[in-house]
Amino acid sequence: MSNFNPKTPYNNLPDLPPAADIETKKILRKTISAGRALAQLNGTLLNLPNPTLFLDTIYLQEAKASSEVENIITTNDELYQSLVSEKTIEDDATKEVLSYKEALWMGLKQLKSKPFITTNLCIKIVQCIKQNAASIRATPGTTLSNTKGKIVYTPPSGEKTIRDKLSKWEKFINAENNIDPLIKMALMHYQFEAIHPFSDGNGRTGRILLLLYLKLSGLLNIPAIYLSEYIIDNKAAYYRNLKNVTEKNSWESYILYMLDMIEVTALNGLERLSKITAAMEKMTIDLKKQLPKIYSKDLVEVLFRLPYTKRQYLIDEHLGNAKTVGNYLISLEEKGFLESVKVGKEKLYLNRRLLNILENKTK
């Protein structure tokens, strides 16, 4: 756009909706297929015997992927062990990922009591991610650079300007209008990233907002979807599309990217859920055959809630006292259902089948 200069604060960032055609034939076609995939995922999640069973795992995977977009790298082992064990977490990257998961849960809880996306909610989310008292950027000088150090974008500057833009942004999100919710989701995401209201954590906050919006709009009753995984696989295109909206008003390719993200991640989610439920069914059959005295539906659910479990988790589910559940875990390991791992002074038990599915390994 002619009035855009990457080195000047973009205080004249246009409000939503954009003047460009956001309902081209390509966009409308893609909206239908993305909506269909999302509806399939939603139906499958709601039909699970325990729809919330996998949420901790799914949100942790999303937190890991979203943090990876910002080059905060952890392994699944570090993450899951940190979540389950009582050992003090030393690794900063692991702390940030766990804080992201906490921020996502907090955001969903806030939506229950106040079903709106607001500036205050964004501030609470970023504070939870960063574990500090971060608020709207007040000091000037924020710029975004590419890998070569060249300034590619200077977001709006001045707290009053930023708050004003966020106020218009939240009105657009929460208003009734005739824009398809999936297209609206793409628009709100671009605008939030362009306003760039915080000194740090904008990308991660923006991606949590996508999940909250899917819940708020009724597109996904349980927002169990790994959107950030798609962004990692298509990272250059993500930043290029955002940049092209700002510089060239190229909304179509950006909206198509976001719709494809929804479609691909919904279909991947369906496949993963189907593998996890199949693994649960197989374990149920094998347990009934090999360890009939300790089998229960509740036991299988505990073993599939997270890849790692421990005695306390079984006690919490009233599966027996410490000695009884300790014997259960020993038997489960002896029969090859679990593998024990020492973390600090604790013994954790790994469900290798579940971890392999989460890491996209077939065996």
Side-chain angles (χ1 to χ4, degrees):
M1 291 169 76
S2 56
N3 63 351
F4 174 73
N5 178 342
K7 293 182 180 177
T8 304
Y10 197 20
N11 284 2
N12 57 354
L13 168 71
D15 298 331
L16 296 176
D21 184 2
I22 53 169
E23 292 181 335
T24 64
K25 275 187 182 174
K26 277 185 181 176
I27 288 173
L28 291 177
R29 271 202 303 271
K30 192 68 176 169
T31 304
I32 291 166
S33 60
R36 192 181 295 128
L38 207 51
Q40 265 184 287
L41 177 63
N42 198 38
T44 302
L45 283 162
L46 292 175
N47 286 324
L48 288 172
N50 181 352
T52 60
L53 177 62
F54 308 129
L55 283 189
D56 250 337
T57 292
I58 288 170
Y59 290 164
L60 205 59
Q61 288 291 105
E62 169 59 22
K64 178 179 180 287
S66 186
S67 302
E68 206 171 307
V69 176
E70 311 298 329
N71 297 314
I72 297 163
I73 313 294
T74 53
T75 68
N76 276 314
D77 255 358
E78 281 172 320
L79 269 186
Y80 288 120
Q81 287 181 10
S82 299
L83 191 69
V84 174
S85 76
E86 288 167 20
K87 189 180 159 197
T88 307
I89 302 165
E90 308 284 352
D91 182 61
D92 288 341
T94 303
K95 283 181 193 169
E96 290 225 21
V97 175
L98 292 174
S99 295
Y100 179 99
K101 179 182 139 320
E102 192 188 318
L104 175 51
W105 271 117
M106 184 273 296
L108 288 164
K109 200 174 164 190
Q110 293 279 320
L111 278 193
K112 273 188 181 174
S113 55
K114 193 181 179 190
F116 302 101
I117 287 174
T118 62
T119 300
N120 281 344
L121 177 61
C122 297
I123 292 169
K124 283 180 182 174
I125 290 168
V126 81
Q127 286 178 346
C128 192
I129 291 170
K130 298 302 298 174
Q131 294 290 301
N132 63 24
S135 192
I136 303 300
R137 274 187 296 114
T139 49
T142 297
T143 57
L144 305 185
S145 303
N146 62 17
T147 49
K148 293 171 185 170
K150 181 188 172 190
I151 293 173
V152 291
Y153 182 65
T154 303
S157 184
E159 189 177 350
K160 186 183 180 304
T161 301
I162 294 167
R163 283 189 178 274
D164 180 52
K165 295 207 172 291
L166 284 172
S167 171
K168 288 173 178 172
W169 170 79
E170 70 177 61
K171 278 184 188 131
F172 168 77
I173 297 167
N174 299 305
E176 291 288 328
N177 49 40
N178 294 323
I179 301 169
D180 183 281
L182 282 177
I183 297 173
K184 195 170 177 178
M185 181 205 73
L187 302 182
M188 70 164 254
H189 184 69
Y190 165 78
Q191 195 76 354
F192 181 82
E193 297 306 324
I195 295 168
H196 203 80
F198 307 118
S199 298
D200 190 21
N202 295 283
R204 283 168 286 168
T205 302
R207 289 187 286 280
I208 284 178
L209 291 171
L210 288 173
L211 294 169
L212 298 187
Y213 178 77
L214 289 174
K215 166 81 176 166
L216 187 65
S217 61
L219 290 167
L220 206 53
N221 297 64
I222 301 163
I225 191 166
Y226 302 86
L227 297 177
S228 300
E229 199 173 46
Y230 180 92
I231 295 174
I232 289 170
D233 292 341
N234 305 276
K235 197 171 171 180
Y238 173 68
Y239 289 115
R240 185 175 64 249
N241 278 306
L242 287 170
K243 189 169 178 278
N244 286 343
V245 173
T246 305
E247 294 181 5
K248 302 171 186 174
N249 209 24
S250 298
W251 281 97
E252 186 184 64
S253 60
Y254 163 71
I255 293 170
L256 289 171
Y257 175 96
M258 295 297 282
L259 293 172
D260 195 58
M261 172 186 75
I262 291 290
E263 184 172 2
V264 168
T265 48
L267 294 173
N268 285 348
L270 276 166
E271 191 185 345
R272 214 175 247 135
L273 276 176
S274 132
K275 284 179 180 173
I276 294 172
T277 48
M280 280 183 80
E281 283 163 16
K282 184 172 185 335
M283 186 180 277
T284 297
I285 293 162
D286 293 347
L287 266 179
K288 281 178 176 175
K289 196 183 292 178
Q290 296 179 48
L291 294 167
K293 287 182 181 173
I294 76 167
Y295 164 76
S296 73
K297 179 176 167 288
D298 289 341
L299 174 64
V300 175
E301 287 201 354
V302 172
L303 302 183
F304 276 86
R305 186 174 298 142
L306 286 164
Y308 285 91
T309 195
K310 59 181 179 181
R311 278 201 312 182
Q312 191 58 46
Y313 286 10
L314 275 66
I315 294 166
D316 292 344
E317 291 300 320
H318 311 294
L319 294 171
N321 60 28
K323 189 177 178 208
T324 303
V325 301
N327 289 335
Y328 284 2
L329 290 166
I330 290 165
S331 300
L332 286 162
E333 184 175 16
E334 282 171 354
K335 294 289 185 184
F337 292 100
L338 300 174
E339 298 168 22
S340 67
V341 183
K342 202 82 186 285
V343 178
K345 292 179 181 176
E346 276 185 295
K347 192 184 262 194
L348 305 184
Y349 290 85
L350 171 63
N351 178 350
R352 175 71 63 188
R353 292 181 219 185
L354 177 57
L355 189 65
N356 285 347
I357 293 166
L358 296 171
E359 293 185 332
N360 287 321
K361 293 174 185 169
T362 49
K363 293 287 174 192

